[in-house]
């Protein structure tokens, strides 16, 4: 199919300006000449929505600090992956043997200006939060704001905990610039004498935040809480650290380097995927710098020296900031200093499992949909624990992408092996930034006798699937699930996902076919081609959903009701976007709930009906993928592990399931309608990426609260 089939309808219209403060500005790359919005600019717009939550004074103070940490962490990963990739594209030019953005250099310039603008807004919000913290009698102290008791405490803490964990680097005397680690922050120090009798020197000290808490609670008056950052503890002790050099004047500023984190996995079939990933992880630690962040008050001579030694120029991503960097650590800001406790809602046990002695018995009687985190993830763990103990269970097979640090899922699977079950785990070793953890899980699982499969060469296994086989006499019964989220009990407390627990024979047959594909040495695609119920990437998911959109287009042209509701994390695939443009041009009602990247324009004067797109950023992370097609009144509803991105549709193993149970189908539609009708914490995604809030007309509806209430009051038979 040609990607320019909808070209005549692709000229976007400009939307009216909003009075809402804009954090992401429209860049040159988001121009009317493009048929879609640049993916990276759209991502920055998403991160601006996270920043809006930090700016929202109705959000509890602790949560606002966490949102600043999330914003910072997101931006780190963005530079480590996307900006690094764009820099590679820019260097390789037209000779690159990869999909290129049209103008990577222009996009990089737009990213630079947008990030600097967002950084200024970040600093403004943090200053505002600091003032509110003072009202709560919570104060961050610098090295110059300590009373006598606190000075003694800080000096003792340094001697007992910090001193042996730091080694200053006298960088001027080192021929080759020391390697500065990616996730670390450094104190860049100028050593001098007040009388200028000794030439000043430069030094670097790595702040040991990997082994010590970034936050030190100081002695304080009753009712007050004084906190000091680890780097300021080091600052206070600089005269002690450098006492034998004869200096009496010390100045220091925090700096940080972000490096290219893309793994280079070669295609040498003689090298195991394990060795390739281990090699890639070592190379990642020394990736090229893609961003240099520094305190904007830094000594100009020191900044110039560091840039020269690091091989940086003004064309690189040089981001001036405030005194504090690596703000992602603030996601772990000490909660105990707040007098008002956070009131996180308790999860519900799904009513069908209340006092149920057997999860599998309930599943045998009917399908059950868990809506996480409103429903407890413990039900999934209970299912695997029950399977591990049941003497009639013979086999458990499951996919694992990201696992919790102390995974109860893994514990259940290991116990299943000890109870004589055959256990197969498809472990995705290339799950970005979880590669090292998954290599460790591989060793643990194999030591216990679990059969570990590493997926498919050249593509990640992102499907969330499980099948449990139970043999009773001559009868084999199968149970399992299809999920939109990872098998991670920690993230299941904050990620909004759906997990279908089922004993449906057709679904189980297809899950077995997918595992046969993953387990076969040559990964014979005939196993995927044989799937009759599940829609699977990379085999047929793209074609299937294009057909579903085409059906709605035909119905619209025949003057029949036609509508599509799509909920996902990211929408960036050109072909799928152009097909949605065709639908809008034909008059299909298209509603989108997109948490992150949305590269689709939503308004065009040549369309019969503009698309409606919203993004919800709230207490929980909206992670589910749900697709609803009107189908002439016989709604078709699907849950999936995949977004509509090239990587998901063409280069990953993904699975989508049709929801056949009418009760569950209606339940999902009602949850989506709650989200579409909500008017609190909802931003409108428009052509200009302005993130204007959806205005509340009448009763205020906050989707996550309404969904929690809806599920708490829902009864099942």
């Amino acid at each position: 199919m040609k990607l320019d089939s909808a070209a005549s309808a692709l000229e976007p219209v400009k939307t009216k300006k909003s009075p809402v403060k804009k954090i992401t500005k429209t860049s040159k790359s988001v121009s009317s000449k493009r048929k879609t919005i640049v993916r990276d600019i759209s991502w920055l717009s998403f991160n601006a929505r996270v920043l809006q939550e930090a700016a929202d004074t109705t959000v509890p103070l602790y949560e606002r600090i966490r949102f600043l940490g999330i914003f910072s962490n997101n931006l780190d990963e963005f530079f480590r992956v996307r900006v690094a990739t764009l820099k590679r594209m820019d260097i390789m030019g037209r000779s690159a043997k990869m999909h290129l953005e049209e103008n990577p250099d222009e996009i990089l310039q737009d990213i630079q200006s947008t990030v600097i603008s967002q950084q200024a807004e970040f600093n403004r919000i943090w200053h505002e939060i600091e003032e509110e913290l003072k009202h709560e009698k919570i104060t961050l102290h610098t090295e110059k704001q300590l009373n006598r008791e606190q000075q003694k405490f800080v000096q003792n803490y340094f001697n007992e905990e910090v001193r042996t964990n730091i080694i200053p680097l006298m960088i001027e005397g080192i021929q080759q610039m020391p390697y500065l680690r990616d996730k670390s922050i450094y104190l860049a120090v100028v050593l001098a004498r007040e009388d200028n009798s000794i030439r000043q020197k430069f030094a670097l000290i790595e702040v040991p935040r990997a082994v010590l808490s970034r936050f030190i609670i100081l002695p304080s008056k009753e009712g007050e809480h004084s906190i000091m950052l680890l780097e300021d503890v080091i600052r206070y002790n600089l005269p002690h650290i450098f006492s034998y050099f004869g200096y009496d004047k010390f100045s220091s500023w925090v700096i940080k380097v972000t490096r290219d984190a893309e793994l280079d996995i070669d295609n040498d079939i003689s090298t195991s995927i394990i060795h390739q990933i281990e090699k890639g992880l070592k190379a990642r630690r020394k990736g090229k710098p893609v961003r240099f962040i520094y305190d904007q008050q830094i000594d100009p001579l020191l900044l110039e020296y560091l840039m020269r030694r690091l091989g940086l120029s003004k064309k690189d991503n040089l981001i001036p900031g405030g005194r504090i960097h690596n703000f992602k650590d603030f996601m772990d800001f000490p909660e105990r200093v707040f007098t008002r406790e956070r009131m996180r809602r308790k999860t519900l046990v799904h009513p069908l499992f209340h006092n149920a002695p057997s999860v599998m018995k309930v599943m045998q009687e009917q399908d059950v949909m868990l809506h996480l985190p409103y429903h407890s993830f413990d039900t999934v763990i209970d299912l695997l624990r029950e399977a591990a103990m049941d003497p009639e269970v013979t086999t458990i097979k499951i996919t694992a992408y990201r696992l919790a640090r102390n995974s109860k899922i893994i514990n259940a699977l290991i116990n299943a092996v000890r109870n004589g079950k055959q256990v197969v785990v498809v472990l995705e070793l290339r799950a970005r930034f979880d590669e090292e953890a998954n290599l460790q899980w591989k060793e643990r699982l194999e030591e216990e006798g679990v059969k570990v499969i590493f997926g498919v060469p050249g593509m990640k296994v992102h499907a969330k699937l499980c099948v449990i086989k139970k043999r009773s006499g001559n009868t084999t019964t199968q149970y399992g699930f299809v999920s939109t989220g990872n098998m991670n009990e920690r993230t299941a407390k904050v990620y909004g996902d759906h997990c279908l627990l089922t004993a449906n024979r057709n679904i189980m047959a297809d899950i077995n076919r997918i595992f046969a594909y993953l387990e076969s040495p040559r990964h014979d695609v005939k196993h995927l081609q044989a799937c009759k119920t599940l829609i699977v990437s990379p085999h047929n998911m793209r074609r299937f959903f294009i057909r579903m959109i085409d059906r709605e287009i035909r119905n619209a042209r025949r003057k029949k009701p036609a509508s599509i509701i799509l909920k996902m994390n990211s929408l960036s695939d050109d072909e799928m976007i152009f097909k949605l443009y065709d639908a809008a041009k034909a008059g299909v009602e298209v509603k989108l709930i997109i948490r992150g990247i949305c590269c689709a324009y939503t308004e065009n004067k040549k369309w019969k009906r503009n698309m409606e797109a919203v993004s919800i950023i709230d207490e929980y992370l909206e992670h589910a993928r749900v697709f609803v097609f009107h189908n002439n009144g016989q709604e078709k509803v699907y849950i999936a592990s995949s977004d509509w991105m090239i990587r998901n549709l063409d280069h990953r193993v993904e699975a989508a399931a049709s929801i056949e149970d009418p009760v569950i189908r209606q339940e999902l539609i009602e949850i989506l309608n709650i989200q579409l009708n909500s008017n609190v914490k909802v931003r409108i995604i428009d052509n200009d990426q302005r993130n204007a809030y959806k205005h509340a007309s009448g009763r205020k509806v906050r989707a996550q609260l309404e969904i929690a209430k809806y599920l708490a009051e829902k009864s099942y038979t």
Side-chain angles (χ1 to χ4, degrees):
M1 176 176 291
K2 293 183 179 180
L3 298 188
D4 58 354
S5 60
S8 62
L10 294 180
E11 296 300 320
V13 289
K14 295 290 183 181
T15 51
K16 293 181 179 179
K17 297 297 180 184
S18 166
V20 177
K21 182 175 178 63
K22 183 172 67 175
I23 297 175
T24 299
K25 61 183 180 181
T26 304
S27 68
K28 297 174 187 175
S29 299
V30 186
S31 69
S32 59
K33 293 179 181 179
R34 287 187 59 101
K35 298 170 185 176
T36 59
I37 295 166
V38 174
R39 166 183 167 173
D40 301 296
I41 301 303
S42 180
W43 185 92
L44 287 171
S45 179
F46 151 67
N47 212 30
R49 296 194 282 276
V50 176
L51 201 53
Q52 284 179 324
E53 282 299 289
D56 188 345
T57 56
T58 67
V59 175
L61 198 52
Y62 178 82
E63 296 291 346
R64 292 178 67 192
I65 295 171
R66 282 192 72 252
F67 276 114
L68 286 181
I70 292 167
F71 171 89
S72 179
N73 187 59
N74 288 349
L75 200 59
D76 277 357
E77 292 193 8
F78 176 73
F79 270 88
R80 295 175 75 197
V81 178
R82 288 301 303 170
V83 172
T85 301
L86 286 166
K87 281 181 173 289
R88 290 185 184 196
M89 290 180 181
D90 193 34
I91 293 168
M92 297 170 76
R94 295 295 174 187
S95 63
K97 295 179 180 179
M98 58 192 294
H99 173 72
L100 282 175
E101 290 286 358
E102 290 177 9
N103 298 295
D105 184 55
E106 286 186 18
I107 296 171
L108 285 167
Q109 291 177 35
D110 289 338
I111 288 171
Q112 171 82 350
S113 60
T114 302
V115 168
I116 289 175
S117 174
Q118 289 183 352
Q119 184 65 50
E121 177 66 3
F122 181 101
N123 293 339
R124 184 196 68 77
I125 295 167
W126 172 239
H127 178 71
E128 183 181 277
I129 288 174
E130 278 190 300
E131 293 302 312
E132 293 187 37
L133 284 170
K134 289 176 183 176
H135 288 301
E136 298 281 337
K137 296 186 178 180
I138 301 168
T139 311
L140 263 68
H141 287 255
T142 70
E143 72 280 8
K144 297 177 181 179
Q145 299 171 316
L146 304 176
N147 60 35
R148 191 166 296 177
E149 181 187 9
Q150 291 169 339
Q151 288 175 355
K152 186 175 179 180
F153 175 88
V154 167
Q155 192 166 350
N156 289 337
Y157 182 82
F158 176 83
N159 288 328
E160 294 171 9
E161 302 291 341
V162 183
R163 184 175 59 83
T164 55
N165 282 300
I166 61 170
I167 300 177
L169 302 173
M170 307 305 294
I171 51 179
E172 289 176 283
I174 304 173
Q175 187 173 2
Q176 185 174 352
M177 183 68 175
Y179 164 71
L180 303 187
R181 287 195 276 198
D182 190 23
K183 298 178 181 179
S184 297
I185 53 174
Y186 293 81
L187 271 182
V189 186
V190 175
L191 292 74
R193 277 192 66 87
E194 290 286 357
D195 59 9
N196 294 320
S197 60
I198 305 176
R199 187 178 69 85
Q200 69 176 19
K201 285 188 179 294
F202 300 147
L204 285 180
I205 301 174
E206 183 177 359
V207 179
R209 43 172 292 280
V211 292
L212 296 172
S213 171
R214 184 90 182 269
F215 306 97
I216 291 86
I217 309 294
L218 302 175
S220 310
K221 295 178 182 178
E222 188 175 349
E224 296 181 1
H225 299 280
S226 301
I227 301 170
M228 194 173 193
L229 295 179
L230 181 57
E231 57 264 37
D232 289 330
V233 170
I234 298 172
R235 277 187 169 114
Y236 180 80
N237 286 277
L238 287 176
H240 177 61
I241 295 169
F242 297 107
S243 59
Y244 39 83
F245 282 105
Y247 292 101
D248 60 7
K249 182 181 177 183
F250 305 93
S251 306
S252 60
W253 303 267
V254 174
I255 65 166
K256 174 183 173 182
V257 174
T258 305
R259 297 186 179 276
D260 184 340
E262 202 55 29
L263 289 186
D264 286 317
I265 305 296
D266 61 47
N267 294 317
D268 183 359
I269 59 174
S270 65
T271 306
S272 75
I273 186 66
I274 308 299
H275 291 146
Q276 290 181 38
I277 290 174
E278 287 174 341
K279 181 181 176 183
L281 286 170
K282 289 177 182 177
R284 173 188 280 172
R285 296 185 185 109
K286 295 189 178 181
K288 292 182 179 179
V290 293
R291 180 179 59 161
F292 180 68
I293 310 175
Y294 59 93
D295 187 331
Q296 59 192 350
Q297 303 297 325
I298 193 170
D299 181 284
L301 291 176
L302 175 57
L303 176 61
E304 183 182 343
Y305 177 83
L306 290 170
M307 287 175 60
R308 187 172 70 252
R309 293 296 303 270
L310 291 168
L312 299 170
S313 70
K314 292 182 180 179
K315 292 182 68 176
D316 291 297
N317 292 97
L318 308 176
I319 311 294
R323 180 183 171 93
I324 302 172
H325 298 302
N326 243 40
F327 220 91
K328 62 184 177 184
D329 293 339
F330 280 63
M331 288 191 284
D332 299 316
F333 194 86
E335 189 175 355
R336 64 182 182 274
V337 302
F338 291 89
T339 52
R340 303 173 195 168
E341 294 183 10
R342 283 194 302 157
M343 299 299 291
R344 189 172 288 281
R345 292 183 293 277
K346 291 184 178 180
T347 57
L348 308 167
V349 175
H350 194 289
L352 290 173
F353 295 109
H354 271 307
N355 303 317
S358 166
V359 176
M360 283 189 280
K361 186 174 181 181
V362 174
M363 291 168 61
Q364 192 170 6
E365 294 171 355
Q366 64 189 105
D367 288 353
V368 183
M369 182 72 81
L370 298 180
H371 303 288
L372 308 168
Y374 309 99
H375 289 144
S376 174
F377 186 75
D378 287 350
T379 300
V380 176
I381 298 169
D382 289 344
L383 169 63
L384 294 173
R385 290 180 66 253
E386 181 182 333
M389 293 184 288
D390 191 329
E392 294 183 336
V393 168
T394 60
T395 309
I396 303 172
K397 296 183 180 183
I398 191 170
T399 59
Y401 193 75
R402 301 190 194 278
L403 294 160
R405 181 171 295 177
N406 299 307
S407 175
K408 295 177 182 177
I409 295 287
I410 294 296
N411 288 339
L413 297 174
I414 288 172
N415 285 324
V417 172
R418 292 172 179 171
N419 278 324
K421 323 296 182 191
Q422 181 196 15
V423 177
V424 176
V425 176
V426 179
L427 190 62
E428 183 44 73
L429 297 181
R430 291 161 296 185
R432 183 173 283 133
F433 304 130
D434 276 77
E435 301 98 342
E436 207 159 357
N438 285 355
L439 282 172
Q440 293 170 1
W441 283 123
K442 165 199 167 292
E443 293 180 8
R444 171 86 189 280
L445 288 166
E446 288 182 336
E447 285 174 1
E448 296 287 348
V450 174
K451 181 181 178 181
V452 180
I453 297 171
F454 308 131
V456 183
M459 70 176 64
K460 294 181 181 179
V461 178
H462 194 247
K464 279 69 175 177
L465 303 170
C466 176
V467 60
I468 299 165
K469 295 182 181 179
K470 183 174 179 178
R471 186 76 177 172
S472 302
N474 295 323
T475 303
T476 298
T477 309
Q478 299 186 76
Y479 309 85
F481 56 74
V482 180
S483 180
T484 69
N486 300 313
M487 294 301 100
N488 186 317
E489 58 269 24
R490 184 181 66 84
T491 59
K493 294 178 181 178
V494 291
Y495 280 31
D497 275 304
H498 305 295
C499 183
L500 177 67
L501 304 177
T502 182
N504 181 287
R505 291 184 178 183
N506 295 329
I507 292 177
M508 291 300 106
D510 278 357
I511 293 178
N512 278 306
R513 292 180 179 112
I514 294 171
F515 276 105
Y517 168 73
L518 296 172
E519 292 180 77
S520 63
R522 296 185 179 180
H523 304 290
D524 194 338
V525 75
K526 71 180 182 183
H527 296 297
L528 300 185
Q529 293 170 343
C531 289
K532 298 175 181 177
T533 302
L534 296 182
I535 304 101
V536 185
S537 285
H539 169 53
N540 69 339
M541 189 176 289
R542 178 186 292 277
R543 295 196 307 274
F544 179 86
F545 286 120
I546 284 175
R547 287 200 303 270
M548 295 302 294
I549 298 171
D550 280 336
R551 180 183 295 175
E552 297 302 318
I553 291 172
R554 287 195 301 272
N555 285 337
R557 287 172 178 166
R558 293 167 183 167
K559 309 299 182 184
K560 295 181 179 179
S563 67
I564 300 168
I565 301 174
L566 305 174
K567 179 180 180 182
M568 63 189 90
N569 296 319
S570 298
L571 172 62
S572 65
D573 183 90
D574 281 356
E575 187 176 13
M576 304 307 289
I577 290 172
F578 295 163
K579 184 53 64 175
L580 291 175
Y581 289 169
D582 287 340
K585 186 180 179 182
V588 178
E589 182 182 50
V590 179
K591 296 184 177 183
L592 308 173
I593 306 170
I594 312 288
R595 186 192 84 221
I597 298 166
C598 181
C599 295
Y601 288 112
T602 57
E603 296 178 74
N604 190 298
K605 60 186 178 182
K606 295 181 181 178
W607 295 344
K608 285 188 177 179
R609 192 165 197 159
N610 286 327
M611 293 191 283
E612 177 187 335
V614 296
S615 180
I616 299 170
I617 306 290
D618 200 352
E619 181 179 358
Y620 298 146
L621 182 84
E622 296 292 337
H623 188 255
R625 292 90 168 184
V626 187
F627 313 130
V628 180
F629 301 90
H630 185 268
N631 193 36
N632 203 24
Q634 302 296 314
E635 284 101 342
K636 290 288 185 180
V637 180
Y638 304 86
I639 64 167
S641 60
S642 62
D643 294 312
W644 284 7
M645 306 177 76
I646 291 174
R647 70 184 189 192
N648 298 94
L649 298 173
D650 297 336
H651 304 295
R652 289 186 175 186
V653 178
E654 306 269 14
S658 173
I659 306 302
E660 300 302 321
D661 184 292
V663 173
I664 296 176
R665 189 165 59 236
Q666 187 58 34
E667 192 170 273
L668 279 169
I669 291 171
E670 289 178 9
I671 287 173
L672 290 177
N673 283 332
I674 289 172
Q675 293 177 326
L676 288 168
N677 294 326
S678 63
N679 50 29
V680 178
K681 302 292 183 184
V682 181
R683 284 78 164 176
I684 298 168
I685 300 177
D686 61 16
N687 289 358
D688 294 321
Q689 303 277 292
R690 290 173 300 128
N691 290 330
Y693 283 96
K694 186 176 179 181
H695 293 297
S697 55
R699 186 174 77 93
K700 289 185 178 181
V701 179
R702 186 172 172 182
Q704 293 183 355
L705 293 179
E706 292 294 322
I707 293 169
K709 181 181 178 182
Y710 166 77
L711 292 173
E713 295 175 352
K714 188 172 178 63
S715 61
Y716 298 82
T717 56

